[in-house]
């Protein structure tokens, strides 16, 4: 376990539902190639807070990298809908570009 993961986990003990911290931890897990842990965290964030738009992209990319194309497509689509609802055009465009790259 890296020092960063350990530090983030310490912060999460005080604020276990902090989406910023959970997202940061999931990204560290991605870097450490602990994909199952990263996926679980991204999914938990999005279950608790479907408006946490940034996690859709990273979850879909993780799934795409692991050969789960259909699941990645589904999460890109959910992310685009959430970004549109939030009025977050930057995230929408990022999700749309990744989605298009995967499908076409």
């Amino acid at each position: 376990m890296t020092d960063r993961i350990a530090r983030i986990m310490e912060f999460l003990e005080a604020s276990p539902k902090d989406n910023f911290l959970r997202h940061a931890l999931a990204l560290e897990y991605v870097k450490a190639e602990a994909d199952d842990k990263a996926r679980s965290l991204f999914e938990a964030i999005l279950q608790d807070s479907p408006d946490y738009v940034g996690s859709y992209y990273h979850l879909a990319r993780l799934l795409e990298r692991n050969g789960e194309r259909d699941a990645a497509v589904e999460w890109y689509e959910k992310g685009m809908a959430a970004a549109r609802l939030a009025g977050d055009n930057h995230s929408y465009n990022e999700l749309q570009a990744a989605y298009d790259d995967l499908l076409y």
Side-chain angles (χ1 to χ4, degrees):
M1 185 179 331
T2 68
D3 287 340
R4 289 179 121 157
I5 290 173
R7 280 193 306 239
I8 295 169
M9 290 179 80
E10 285 177 26
F11 289 127
L12 276 170
E13 287 179 21
S15 300
K17 292 291 186 177
D18 184 307
N19 287 330
F20 178 81
L21 291 173
R22 294 193 299 169
H23 184 86
L25 181 58
L27 292 176
E28 290 300 321
Y29 282 144
V30 168
K31 289 179 195 173
E33 297 182 5
D35 290 347
D36 289 341
K37 289 180 180 183
R39 180 180 183 165
S40 293
L41 271 172
F42 286 134
E43 288 175 344
I45 291 165
L46 294 171
Q47 180 177 348
D48 294 344
S49 303
D51 60 338
Y52 203 77
V53 176
S55 290
Y56 288 98
Y57 174 84
H58 292 285
L59 174 56
R61 293 295 289 183
L62 174 71
L63 294 167
E64 187 177 343
R65 190 179 77 228
N66 286 310
E68 295 184 55
R69 184 181 183 277
D70 292 341
V73 166
E74 181 181 333
W75 282 106
Y76 282 131
E77 290 172 347
K78 288 180 182 180
M80 287 184 288
R84 174 101 41 208
L85 189 62
D88 185 345
N89 291 329
H90 175 76
S91 293
Y92 179 87
N93 291 335
E94 188 175 52
L95 287 156
Q96 181 72 54
Y99 177 81
D100 288 347
D101 284 347
L102 178 59
L103 291 182
Y104 306 108

